[in-house]
Amino acid sequence: MKKMILTLVAASSLLLLAACNDTTTTSSSDKTATSESVDLNSLELPQLSTEVKENEDLVELETTEGAIKIKLFPEIAPKAVENFMTHAKNGYYDGLTFHRIVEDFMIQGGDPNGDGTGGESIWGKGFGEEISKQLYHIRGALSMAKSSAPNSQGSQFFIVQNHDDVSDGRAIQFYPQKIIDAYKDGGTPSLDGNYTVFGQVIEGMDVVDKIAKAETTGEANSSGEDSTPKDPVKIKSIKILQEAK
């Protein structure tokens, strides 16, 4: 089975080299939108607020390094959120590790095999991306991992950890101005339009940073990285703090 990896970049030094060409990526309900027909600066950008609205879910990942609170966006990425929430309720993620850690890039988990080759969706098969102009891979974004095969999203996810200013990249010049400003605090814009963002960390980025600094084994894996933690960092449990109305 193919590893669920972020196929566009392998390290933070490559963040802007494979940047998304379609700066007006669309959701499944808005496939005909263009930059001429959509005022990006008028869009609601829920990642930029720590407020948890009634139409959003709130979860707490209790890890061996501390707690991370994340709000989810079921109206924008309904399949990804339903999949994650159902797995969380069923205890699917309890005890699993963050098997892939790349400092100044992201932390990845959700694989029962613990090596990037496993996991499945609640439907027993992979599902496709949900891309929206309202959600971006800014620092703290929660996104679905996948392989290079179509409809390969299963149970694996990652949290964007990079904190370098990437706001001056040519690829994001047509993004909403508030998102360009958010990228000053870090993120991975090269993943936009290719991976499904479905949540945002609102508390506990210090924990994400701590996990990202974990010592790795020093051995290259199949993707050529040294990204396997020497001492496993585990998800102890996921608490559901709020469900969307």
Side-chain angles (χ1 to χ4, degrees), residues 45-64:
L45 303 169
Q47 290 173 279
L48 303 184
S49 171
T50 57
E51 176 188 359
V52 183
K53 297 184 177 179
E54 289 188 346
N55 65 342
E56 297 172 342
D57 298 310
L58 179 64
V59 301
E60 182 177 71
L61 274 70
E62 183 63 39
T63 79
T64 51

Side-chain angles (χ1 to χ4, degrees), residues 79-160:
K79 288 185 178 180
V81 172
E82 180 184 1
N83 183 62
F84 184 89
M85 287 286 286
T86 303
H87 273 329
K89 291 176 183 178
N90 293 338
Y92 184 93
Y93 293 123
D94 295 358
L96 300 189
T97 64
F98 285 97
H99 63 273
R100 182 170 181 242
I101 291 174
V102 183
E103 189 175 5
D104 293 327
F105 183 18
M106 56 90 228
I107 62 173
Q108 182 173 332
D111 174 20
N113 291 351
D115 60 4
T117 64
E120 64 178 12
S121 76
I122 59 174
W123 303 286
K125 60 181 180 180
F127 62 102
E129 299 84 7
E130 296 170 291
I131 308 301
S132 171
K133 292 181 291 294
Q134 292 179 265
L135 301 174
Y136 298 83
H137 288 84
I138 61 175
R139 175 170 160 82
L142 174 68
S143 189
M144 291 296 298
K146 63 175 185 174
S147 74
S148 57
N151 298 315
S152 60
Q153 296 180 144
S155 64
Q156 294 187 47
F157 59 86
F158 63 94
I159 299 174
V160 177

Side-chain angles (χ1 to χ4, degrees), residues 141-219:
L142 174 68
S143 189
M144 291 296 298
K146 63 175 185 174
S147 74
S148 57
N151 298 315
S152 60
Q153 296 180 144
S155 64
Q156 294 187 47
F157 59 86
F158 63 94
I159 299 174
V160 177
Q161 183 266 336
N162 177 49
H163 52 65
D164 294 326
D165 182 351
V166 290
S167 61
D168 60 350
R170 291 178 57 193
I172 65 173
Q173 62 179 316
F174 298 115
Y175 278 28
Q177 184 58 51
K178 290 182 179 179
I179 293 297
I180 294 175
D181 292 341
Y183 270 126
K184 293 178 181 178
D185 294 325
T188 315
S190 56
L191 301 180
D192 292 338
N194 293 279
Y195 293 83
T196 303
V197 175
F198 65 102
Q200 181 68 30
V201 174
I202 61 171
E203 284 185 34
M205 275 307 296
D206 58 328
V207 176
V208 176
D209 287 335
K210 185 177 180 181
I211 294 172
K213 292 181 181 295
E215 183 180 359
T216 53
T217 60
E219 299 177 0

Side-chain angles (χ1 to χ4, degrees), residues 27-60:
S27 65
S28 57
S29 62
D30 187 20
K31 290 183 179 298
T32 60
T34 66
S35 57
E36 289 74 28
S37 62
V38 176
D39 178 5
L40 295 179
N41 288 315
S42 69
L43 294 175
E44 182 181 1
L45 303 169
Q47 290 173 279
L48 303 184
S49 171
T50 57
E51 176 188 359
V52 183
K53 297 184 177 179
E54 289 188 346
N55 65 342
E56 297 172 342
D57 298 310
L58 179 64
V59 301
E60 182 177 71

Side-chain angles (χ1 to χ4, degrees), residues 62-74:
E62 183 63 39
T63 79
T64 51
E65 297 295 342
I68 305 168
K69 286 186 179 180
I70 307 174
K71 65 175 182 175
L72 310 179
F73 310 115

